[in-house]
Amino acid sequence: MAAGGSYSIVEYFGGDDGYRCGYCKNEKGNFSHGMWSHSMTVQDYQDLIDRGWRRSGKYVYKPIMNKTCCPQYTIRCHASNFHPTKTHKKTLKRMNKFLSNGEMPVEQNDGKNEGEPMDSVHEEGVRSPPQDLLKKHHTDVEEITTSPDTDSKSTSPSTPREDAAPTPPEKTSHVTPKPGKGADPNRPMCRKAKDIRKERRLQKDQQKHQEGESASVTPVPLKSTSKQPKSLEDFISESLPADPLHRLEVKLVPVSFEDPDFLASFEQSAALYARYQTTVHGDSPCECGESEFKRFLCDSPLEATTAPDGPDVGYGSFHQQYWLDGRIVAVGVLDILPSCVSSVYLYYHPDFSSLSLGTYSALSEIAFTKQLQKQSPKLAYYYLGFYVHSCPKMRYKGQYRPSDLLCPETYVWVSIERCLPHLDTSAYSRLNEDAKAGDAQALKDVGKALVLHRRTVMPYAAYARKRKGSNEEKDVEQYAGLVGQTCAERILLYRS
């Protein structure tokens, strides 16, 4: 149970049936487990994505990694240590040129497939939840009581584990002198021994003189001649002329129809989403209307909340809107969680695709994560969704470094440099090289998993006693094993 007294409530579905893969187009090769989330605390969702889960609207799914045709590994970037690559810097400079004088870069199809730093449901082929769930409203979910069998003590949230290998120190380069005639120009000139001894005596005398004055004189530190490399923020906020041709403003609005800014921009944002989907993804207009937009990118199970040690904007789901000269040209859908900013989706105006808005928004979101980390130190990561090594166009996510991939068996983080050799050999890999390591949150006691039955919260053991003869334990065990022992004891599994 969350500190504020709210529960996460889910309905679990199995993952036996294969469906179409959005990456390799295999008609029956994509396998995942799924559950419908009626409500979700931000800590529970943080713990779930740290076990390989991800949401699409209120539908939360987890790829069956050793079975699906294109394994999808959760990827995170260390925001505070991030340094932009040359490609990233070029993107930021192109944007600044456009804002300054309106210079629109020529679109180049160089095969790099920068793409958006999020996962499109339309590309992935995420299995849709049962249609009847979209119409159901369980009164049981709205009013709940606690069974006497339920342990009233709240389970402490698990802390994400750090398992990324340290970056090896940079090697010092050794310059080999060029071959040539005469003395080696890289070595000092030959000198007489007499002159060397004389110079040493003078140095000793000067040293003694300086030591005598050191008590009263404070040494002045030498100024470093080496320039510090520009930070990401420096590139983003590079000075523009006093009167630039275009003005770009970034607004963060909570996903709530009670928020006046979100409400005022809803129709414009929905129209932009429809234009993006029809132009970029080839959807038909009926597939990306307002109702689909609302269900996919506005309906969120996350409960907005604040914490004394959290960021000023609080936790929950947000739209980061990019306003160009008074109109929305791009929107990044974000979840702000206790340990990360999680990128959900991005849609933008196709007329501005040559500005690489996918890359630009990812860099902006990394800078935003660094800003939030100053307010809440544990909020240190930027999650880019799934990294799919078997799909070349999705490898761009590995360019945001330093980054880690999540081991699909032990759920520890492994630096991407250590993962790539394994993934080059096989699409599926354990990633964690420690053969003895296991899942620290592995299911130990399914009886302690919490369920919601007839508006009452109870441990599964108590529920099983009431429902003798029911054949549910296999499904409950599968669900509890996938979410882990801690989450199973905190999240309510709905039972009819």
Side-chain angles (χ1 to χ4, degrees), residues 214-279:
S214 62
S216 58
V217 179
T218 303
V220 179
L222 294 173
K223 291 184 179 180
S224 174
T225 56
S226 62
K227 291 184 178 179
Q228 291 292 329
K230 274 187 176 182
S231 68
L232 173 61
E233 293 87 342
D234 292 334
F235 281 103
I236 291 176
S237 60
E238 201 166 39
S239 59
L240 294 171
D243 189 23
L245 188 62
H246 299 290
R247 295 188 181 275
L248 180 67
E249 184 183 3
V250 182
K251 294 181 182 178
L252 184 76
V253 297
V255 180
S256 169
F257 285 96
E258 296 178 1
D259 181 83
D261 290 332
F262 179 80
L263 193 60
S265 61
F266 176 80
E267 285 189 8
Q268 187 181 165
S269 188
L272 178 65
Y273 167 75
R275 182 161 187 175
Y276 170 78
Q277 293 297 143
T278 53
T279 305

Side-chain angles (χ1 to χ4, degrees), residues 214-424:
S214 62
S216 58
V217 179
T218 303
V220 179
L222 294 173
K223 291 184 179 180
S224 174
T225 56
S226 62
K227 291 184 178 179
Q228 291 292 329
K230 274 187 176 182
S231 68
L232 173 61
E233 293 87 342
D234 292 334
F235 281 103
I236 291 176
S237 60
E238 201 166 39
S239 59
L240 294 171
D243 189 23
L245 188 62
H246 299 290
R247 295 188 181 275
L248 180 67
E249 184 183 3
V250 182
K251 294 181 182 178
L252 184 76
V253 297
V255 180
S256 169
F257 285 96
E258 296 178 1
D259 181 83
D261 290 332
F262 179 80
L263 193 60
S265 61
F266 176 80
E267 285 189 8
Q268 187 181 165
S269 188
L272 178 65
Y273 167 75
R275 182 161 187 175
Y276 170 78
Q277 293 297 143
T278 53
T279 305
V280 177
H281 290 294
D283 288 359
S284 64
C286 64
E287 292 178 297
C288 48
E290 276 196 11
S291 59
E292 286 75 23
F293 169 68
K294 183 175 180 293
R295 179 170 60 85
F296 176 34
L297 297 176
C298 300
D299 287 349
S300 170
L302 300 185
E303 297 182 354
T305 185
T306 57
D309 59 346
D312 294 342
V313 296
Y315 300 119
S317 297
F318 297 82
H319 282 189
Q320 187 147 287
Q321 302 172 339
Y322 296 80
W323 290 76
L324 181 68
D325 301 332
R327 64 167 176 160
I328 303 175
V329 295
V331 178
V333 183
L334 306 174
D335 291 333
I336 300 179
L337 305 173
S339 301
C340 74
V341 170
S342 175
S343 177
V344 178
Y345 200 70
L346 173 82
Y347 52 99
Y348 56 82
H349 199 297
D351 288 354
F352 298 94
S353 58
S354 62
L355 290 172
S356 302
L357 292 175
T359 300
Y360 184 82
S361 67
L363 297 172
S364 298
E365 288 166 9
I366 292 173
F368 177 56
T369 305
K370 293 173 72 173
Q371 178 187 335
L372 296 183
Q373 189 181 8
K374 292 176 182 177
Q375 303 168 8
S376 180
K378 64 182 179 179
L379 205 162
Y381 302 101
Y382 174 63
Y383 283 45
L384 295 97
F386 287 138
Y387 174 82
V388 188
H389 193 75
S390 60
C391 180
K393 73 173 182 177
M394 297 301 291
R395 292 186 185 180
Y396 72 89
K397 296 187 180 185
Q399 298 170 5
Y400 297 85
R401 298 189 184 184
S403 57
D404 310 317
L405 299 184
L406 187 67
C407 172
E409 296 180 15
T410 61
Y411 303 109
V412 298
W413 295 99
V414 184
S415 67
I416 195 167
E417 291 85 355
R418 287 167 53 191
C419 299
L420 294 181
H422 298 294
L423 297 176
D424 284 337

Side-chain angles (χ1 to χ4, degrees), residues 119-147:
D119 299 301
S120 166
V121 145
H122 306 270
E123 287 190 36
E124 287 185 6
V126 174
R127 180 180 56 175
S128 299
Q131 289 300 311
D132 58 343
L133 264 178
L134 305 180
K135 302 174 183 177
K136 273 198 297 188
H137 295 279
H138 295 295
T139 54
D140 303 39
V141 170
E142 296 168 4
E143 297 179 12
I144 58 177
T145 58
T146 305
S147 164

Side-chain angles (χ1 to χ4, degrees), residues 19-152:
Y19 51 99
R20 189 175 187 272
C21 175
Y23 300 116
C24 69
K25 312 307 178 187
N26 186 322
E27 291 297 330
K28 294 289 183 181
N30 201 350
F31 291 86
S32 70
H33 300 283
M35 55 189 182
W36 185 261
S37 179
H38 294 274
S39 63
M40 181 76 67
T41 67
V42 291
Q43 185 59 60
D44 285 342
Y45 186 56
Q46 176 72 67
D47 291 344
L48 286 178
I49 63 173
D50 286 338
R51 290 183 66 82
W53 292 84
R54 183 163 169 76
R55 78 173 185 89
S56 171
K58 289 189 172 185
Y59 184 66
V60 188
Y61 63 99
K62 183 183 189 316
I64 304 177
M65 297 290 282
N66 59 356
K67 188 177 181 181
T68 193
C69 52
C70 296
Q72 301 152 60
Y73 298 86
T74 302
I75 182 171
R76 71 177 186 181
C77 170
H78 297 246
S80 60
N81 297 327
F82 172 78
H83 292 289
T85 64
K86 286 184 179 179
T87 301
H88 297 151
K89 293 173 186 177
K90 286 179 181 178
T91 298
L92 296 174
K93 287 178 180 178
R94 282 200 301 266
M95 176 62 81
N96 283 334
K97 279 185 180 180
F98 169 73
L99 295 176
S100 298
N101 55 35
E103 182 182 333
M104 181 71 81
V106 178
E107 244 181 310
Q108 295 179 349
N109 187 7
D110 56 7
K112 290 182 180 178
N113 289 312
E114 285 179 340
E116 302 86 31
M118 77 307 295
D119 299 301
S120 166
V121 145
H122 306 270
E123 287 190 36
E124 287 185 6
V126 174
R127 180 180 56 175
S128 299
Q131 289 300 311
D132 58 343
L133 264 178
L134 305 180
K135 302 174 183 177
K136 273 198 297 188
H137 295 279
H138 295 295
T139 54
D140 303 39
V141 170
E142 296 168 4
E143 297 179 12
I144 58 177
T145 58
T146 305
S147 164
D149 294 307
T150 307
D151 185 358
S152 61

